[in-house]
Amino acid sequence: ATADKKLPVVVFIHGESFEWNSGNPYDGSVLASYGDLVVVTLNYRLGILGFLNANPSPHIRARVANYGLMDQMAALHWVQQNIAKFGGDPGAVTLAGHGSGAACINFLMTSPTMVPGLFHRAILLSGSAYASWAIVEDPVVYALKLAKELNCSIPQDMIKSHEQIVDCLRDIPLEELLAVDIEAPSFLSAFGPSVDGVVIRRGLSNQDPDLPAAMKRSQDVRYDLLFGVVTGEALWRFSNADILNGFEGERRDKIIRTYVRNAYTFHLSEIFYTVVNEYTDWERTSQHPINTRDAAVAALSDAQFVAPLVHTGDTLAPPPALPGQEKSGPKCFFYVFDYQTKEGDYPQRMGTVHGEDLPYVFGAPLVDSFSHFPQNYTKAEVALSESIILFWSNFARTGNPNEYHRQDTLLAASKERNRFRGITWDEYDPVHQKYLEAGMKPRMKNHFRAHQLSIWLRLIPELHRAGMEDVIARHNLFRNHDNMDLYDGLVKPDSLSRLSFLEETLKRRGNSSEIASLGITTVEPSSLTTCMPVGNFTTFTTSSLNSSASDTLNSGDSSGYAAYSTALSVTIAIGCSLLILNVLIFAGVYYQRDKTRLEVKSLQKQYQQREMHQQSFDPIKHAHYHLGHSQSSNVIVDVENHDSGTILLSNDIKSPHICTNSIQINTTGGCIQTKIPLNDSNTGTYKSRSEQVSLPMKNAQIFTRGGTGATFAGMMTLPKSTGMQTQQITYRTECMTLPRNTNTTSRNSGTMTGNYD
């Protein structure tokens, strides 16, 4: 850098753990040279040396305990005083961190001890102060365990003389301190940032229910923010066998149950089943071990990294501008790194592991790797690293990663690099939640894992908050809560027995009054540290703790359990009643359907019988019947209804219908009988016929050759055989027709006319 050109400064805080690691492996030379930056990496005190907190009441007597965070503040002060000598601009300092380093930056952004102006922008990679591992809830418990292991005396007045424990530990050689194995429950930290009343205060961290003043203060300071995650944040927690072979649902349940118990206090069973339900693929009839593994990885990734960091972004990002107004306030950008290195440590298609974006940030592909980063990068990976460095350098310079400050690139132009040139990285806000998917095909998207994150950021906090109210203590625990076979790893004691070790230690001193004087820091129920700040608890004392534990856990709170059992019994009874009612309704519907089906069948059968019965009458009533034909004469029967009928005998009417060679009409009484002989000759020989048709006639007349007619009232019948015959008329090749309408003839209805040869 020249004397008149000051370069933006990036101060990187390493992560991995609050108890180990170093800033030395992170060489910032490639990032600095390619991005025209001044890169600073630092070390700070870790573990016992950096975060030991023996103060049981920081709200009463505040004492510095977060020495690691104080080291980082001291480094920022040094940067302000000296970075100009290295060509850096003290007015453009960006504080970047990964993992636990990002959580430290989040605490510094909200700390009342932080001097404004020490840094101006922040880059948070895969870490947030809202994660379960980011803050220690019961630091005094671990301090007393350490003192017990190293034979340090415990003062009678812990509130006034807790520093005696710290003084005793300072006199012990470092090797002995580091040799003590104080193991924290799974997914938590034993020695890390905690509420000390100075650097981190109550109400100024993730333990405050009203989000609060600290976050509002960070907005007033106007920190530009860039934050990002990878797709498989929790993959590093699993063994090689788990990664290659997967595991069954029982193992997944143990892992999630362990996390829920250690990260939450209230309504543990409800939270557990909510998580399992959300991360189970119900469309699959059977769960493959690989799919079960992926579900567990996704659940832990969202719970420990993605949801806390998105919550931080929602808190610090300004709201979207109203229509017609320009957006003001600090800028905020979100990215998801979704690319797995070809020569990486994990099999392909496993997702991007925690920290896999760091080689591309520090430019390892540009120089074919260095330090502990992988080697043998492809041209596409080189272009990806270059684009990320440019994004970082632009953000450190202006607060906007889109503003390219140099048109000439150090590397030759290529199609891999051009795909990043056309990307416009939109700002992030809590409403639209736009983010850049950084990979081989970069693109802008919105609402990353929206449904899953809503479970962690909306539903689970409400379930947890509901348990703070008047709920039986045991109702908040798992069934068989103390059965270690249900968990995978170490678990913390339940909320009512957190201080069992502290109580026993103080009771051995013979001063129980000191136990009653303890404040809420060590005795309160565990406040949630994952994605949700929870309430201001009233002060608990150990005496009330003892009485509560004896009344609730030992005696079981019989009255409360009785009420709970009664409610459960009523619920079961109502459910059974509804089930029986549904069965009865179903039986009634089935019976009615069967009855209706039988009725329909009966009506159909009656209708068919009626049609068969009418077949012998209706054709005669409504049709023409030709019983014979010849060129000389025809016999036509015309019946329109039951009241009248006509038989027409004509020589000029011809019909192609059923005919005979002769027709015989017999009359007896009031009935006309017509018999049709079936002979082939033209003689009058009579042959019996198998059909008989009876025609009702009211006024029927028979006209003979002489023109005289006889009137009959009654039936006209075509019998099968000869019967009582009083008159016989024989024709040759006659036909008989029954027309539908008598008006088609010129003869009057109800007459019978005969023409004879």
Side-chain angles (χ1 to χ4, degrees):
T2 60
D4 57 344
K5 181 182 178 180
K6 299 298 182 181
L7 301 179
V9 180
V10 174
V11 179
F12 182 76
I13 300 177
H14 69 80
E16 299 299 338
S17 173
F18 291 118
E19 299 189 25
W20 62 274
N21 205 8
S22 170
N24 298 338
Y26 300 95
D27 187 352
S29 59
V30 179
L31 174 61
S33 61
Y34 190 85
D36 276 350
L37 305 172
V38 175
V39 179
V40 179
T41 60
L42 57 89
N43 291 315
Y44 55 97
R45 282 174 284 183
L46 299 171
I48 298 172
L49 302 180
F51 300 102
L52 177 68
N53 187 356
N55 185 1
S57 299
H59 63 292
I60 298 176
R61 294 178 178 268
R63 295 290 187 275
V64 175
N66 295 289
Y67 296 101
L69 298 180
M70 296 296 291
D71 291 345
Q72 297 168 12
M73 291 183 187
L76 292 176
H77 280 284
W78 183 93
V79 168
Q80 287 294 317
Q81 297 171 4
N82 300 283
I83 201 64
K85 299 177 182 179
F86 298 88
D89 183 3
V93 178
T94 299
L95 196 56
H98 177 262
S100 56
C104 290
I105 296 174
N106 199 173
F107 283 121
L108 295 179
M109 295 172 70
T110 61
S111 174
T113 312
M114 191 69 195
V115 178
L118 290 182
F119 68 99
H120 311 87
R121 300 177 182 93
I123 299 177
L124 307 181
L125 307 181
S126 304
S128 168
Y130 287 90
S132 62
W133 46 263
I135 191 167
V136 181
E137 297 174 351
D138 300 318
V140 178
V141 173
Y142 302 106
L144 292 179
K145 287 183 178 181
L146 179 64
K148 180 182 178 181
E149 292 289 335
L150 296 174
N151 297 321
C152 288
S153 61
I154 298 176
Q156 294 183 355
D157 190 344
M158 280 291 295
I159 295 179
K160 297 180 180 180
S161 306
H162 64 273
E163 292 185 355
Q164 294 181 12
I165 297 177
V166 180
D167 294 337
C168 175
L169 295 175
R170 286 195 180 105
D171 295 335
I172 297 176
L174 180 61
E175 292 77 8
E176 296 184 19
L177 282 175
L178 299 180
V180 178
D181 185 14
I182 304 296
E183 191 172 2
S186 299
F187 311 106
L188 302 181
S189 301
F191 297 100
S194 61
V195 176
D196 61 359
V198 180
V199 180
I200 300 176
R201 294 181 183 177
R202 295 195 62 80
L204 296 175
S205 71
N206 59 325
Q207 294 181 346
D208 189 345
D210 303 317
L211 207 62
M215 295 303 178
K216 183 178 183 301
R217 177 182 180 277
S218 66
Q219 292 179 354
D220 294 339
V221 178
R222 300 178 64 88
Y223 293 114
D224 293 326
L225 178 64
L226 188 151
F227 65 99
V229 296
V230 298
T231 57
E233 292 281 5
L235 192 59
W236 62 274
R237 289 187 172 274
F238 297 90
S239 65
N240 185 57
D242 290 339
I243 292 174
L244 295 179
N245 304 322
F247 44 79
E248 299 296 335
E250 183 180 359
R251 171 85 188 284
R252 175 206 60 189
D253 292 348
K254 289 183 178 181
I255 294 172
I256 296 178
R257 189 181 291 109
T258 302
Y259 174 77
V260 169
R261 171 163 176 170
N262 290 338
Y264 299 93
T265 302
F266 307 106
H267 280 168
L268 301 184
S269 295
E270 289 79 0
I271 295 175
F272 167 74
Y273 287 116
T274 299
V275 175
V276 171
N277 179 74
E278 176 62 28
Y279 290 91
T280 298
D281 188 358
W282 296 108
E283 294 182 356
R284 298 179 181 269
T285 56
S286 61
Q287 300 296 323
H288 193 275
I290 297 298
N291 298 328
T292 305
R293 176 209 63 194
D294 294 341
V297 171
L300 293 181
S301 298
D302 292 344
Q304 290 194 284
F305 298 95
V306 181
L309 190 52
V310 169
H311 184 55
T312 299
D314 291 342
T315 303
L316 298 178
L322 298 177
Q325 296 182 358
E326 294 185 0
K327 189 173 183 179
S328 60
K331 304 179 185 67
C332 186
F333 298 89
F334 177 32
Y335 78 89
V336 176
F337 189 82
D338 188 18
Y339 177 73
Q340 189 175 359
T341 306
K342 295 294 184 181
E343 298 294 334
D345 297 330
Y346 288 83
Q348 290 297 310
R349 299 182 180 180
M350 287 294 299
T352 309
V353 71
H354 180 77
E356 196 165 358
D357 52 342
L358 290 179
Y360 299 90
V361 169
F362 284 94
L366 301 180
V367 294
D368 197 18
S369 186
F370 59 86
S371 185
H372 59 285
F373 296 129
Q375 299 180 352
N376 300 325
Y377 294 94
T378 64
K379 291 182 179 180
E381 292 170 347
V382 171
L384 177 60
S385 177
E386 181 188 14
S387 65
I388 291 179
I389 291 177
L390 290 178
F391 282 138
W392 268 50
S393 60
N394 294 331
F395 178 79
R397 183 172 290 103
T398 64
N400 188 343
N402 296 297
E403 297 179 4
Y404 293 97
H405 67 285
R406 17 185 326 198
Q407 300 297 327
D408 57 322
T409 59
L410 297 181
L411 302 179
S414 64
K415 63 179 182 180
E416 289 84 2
R417 187 176 300 105
N418 291 334
R419 67 173 62 130
F420 297 97
R421 297 293 185 180
I423 293 295
T424 299
W425 193 343
D426 296 330
E427 291 189 40
Y428 177 90
D429 63 73
V431 177
H432 302 94
Q433 296 185 342
K434 296 182 179 180
Y435 68 93
L436 172 66
E437 184 180 72
M440 288 298 106
K441 296 180 180 179
R443 70 198 74 180
M444 288 300 303
K445 293 185 176 182
N446 55 60
H447 295 92
F448 178 63
R449 291 182 181 173
H451 194 273
Q452 288 82 359
L453 296 188
S454 66
I455 296 294
W456 295 106
L457 299 177
R458 303 291 183 268
L459 179 57
I460 290 179
E462 290 299 326
L463 290 174
H464 192 268
R465 186 178 293 110
M468 298 177 185
E469 301 173 355
D470 297 333
V471 177
I472 302 169
R474 190 172 293 276
H475 176 68
N476 290 313
L477 308 180
F478 288 116
R479 178 180 294 181
N480 300 323
H481 189 74
D482 296 326
N483 183 3
M484 293 299 105
D485 293 335
L486 299 177
Y487 307 101
D488 186 83
L490 295 179
V491 295
K492 68 182 182 182
D494 61 74
S495 59
L496 296 180
S497 60
R498 290 279 183 87
L499 290 183
S500 58
F501 173 79
L502 178 60
E503 294 176 38
E504 294 177 0
T505 303
L506 294 180
K507 286 180 180 179
R508 287 202 305 269
R509 304 295 302 173
N511 192 347
S512 60
S513 62
E514 297 300 328
I515 302 177
S517 65
L518 294 179
I520 62 174
T521 301
T522 57
V523 198
E524 66 175 61
S526 170
S527 51
L528 177 65
T529 58
T530 301
C531 310
M532 185 200 88
V534 296
N536 291 327
F537 293 98
T538 57
T539 302
F540 282 173
T541 62
T542 309
S543 59
S544 64
L545 175 67
N546 293 335
S547 62
S548 175
S550 61
D551 292 341
T552 305
L553 297 181
N554 297 335
S555 65
D557 199 352
S558 58
S559 60
Y561 276 111
Y564 180 76
S565 300
T566 302
L568 182 62
S569 301
V570 172
T571 303
I572 294 175
I574 294 175
C576 294
S577 302
L578 293 176
L579 179 61
I580 295 174
L581 180 61
N582 288 335
V583 172
L584 294 177
I585 293 175
F586 176 78
V589 171
Y590 186 81
Y591 172 77
Q592 185 66 27
R593 187 187 66 174
D594 190 60
K595 181 179 179 181
T596 304
R597 184 187 305 167
L598 294 177
E599 291 178 353
V600 170
K601 288 184 177 180
S602 177
L603 291 175
Q604 291 177 348
K605 186 175 180 180
Q606 294 178 5
Y607 180 74
Q608 293 175 356
Q609 292 177 352
R610 183 178 301 171
E611 285 186 344
M612 294 176 62
H613 178 71
Q614 292 178 353
Q615 285 178 356
S616 61
F617 175 73
D618 290 345
I620 300 173
K621 180 178 179 180
H622 300 290
H624 293 279
Y625 285 87
H626 296 258
L627 302 180
H629 72 89
S630 69
Q631 295 180 355
S632 60
S633 63
N634 283 334
V635 177
I636 303 173
V637 179
D638 189 355
V639 179
E640 180 67 23
N641 50 44
H642 292 284
D643 296 332
S644 64
T646 301
I647 297 179
L648 302 178
L649 289 88
S650 176
N651 293 328
D652 56 351
I653 298 176
K654 299 182 180 180
S655 175
H657 297 286
I658 303 172
C659 299
T660 62
N661 291 331
S662 64
I663 184 169
Q664 186 177 23
I665 301 176
N666 300 321
T667 60
T668 175
C671 183
I672 297 177
Q673 294 182 343
T674 301
K675 297 183 179 180
I676 305 169
L678 300 175
N679 58 342
D680 296 332
S681 64
N682 292 330
T683 63
T685 307
Y686 170 74
K687 291 185 179 180
S688 177
R689 186 174 174 83
S690 61
E691 295 86 6
Q692 174 177 311
V693 179
S694 297
L695 301 177
M697 302 180 64
K698 184 175 182 180
N699 295 314
Q701 293 179 345
I702 299 177
F703 291 85
T704 61
R705 287 180 181 271
T708 62
T711 302
F712 301 94
M715 295 292 296
M716 175 180 177
T717 304
L718 303 180
K720 290 185 179 181
S721 59
T722 61
M724 297 176 62
Q725 300 181 9
T726 61
Q727 183 178 355
Q728 179 173 343
I729 304 174
T730 303
Y731 306 92
R732 294 180 180 178
T733 61
E734 291 87 2
C735 237
M736 184 175 187
T737 305
L738 301 178
R740 292 181 179 272
N741 192 350
T742 58
N743 295 328
T744 57
T745 65
S746 61
R747 299 166 180 82
N748 294 330
S749 176
T751 64
M752 179 183 295
T753 303
N755 296 323
Y756 306 95
D757 292 337

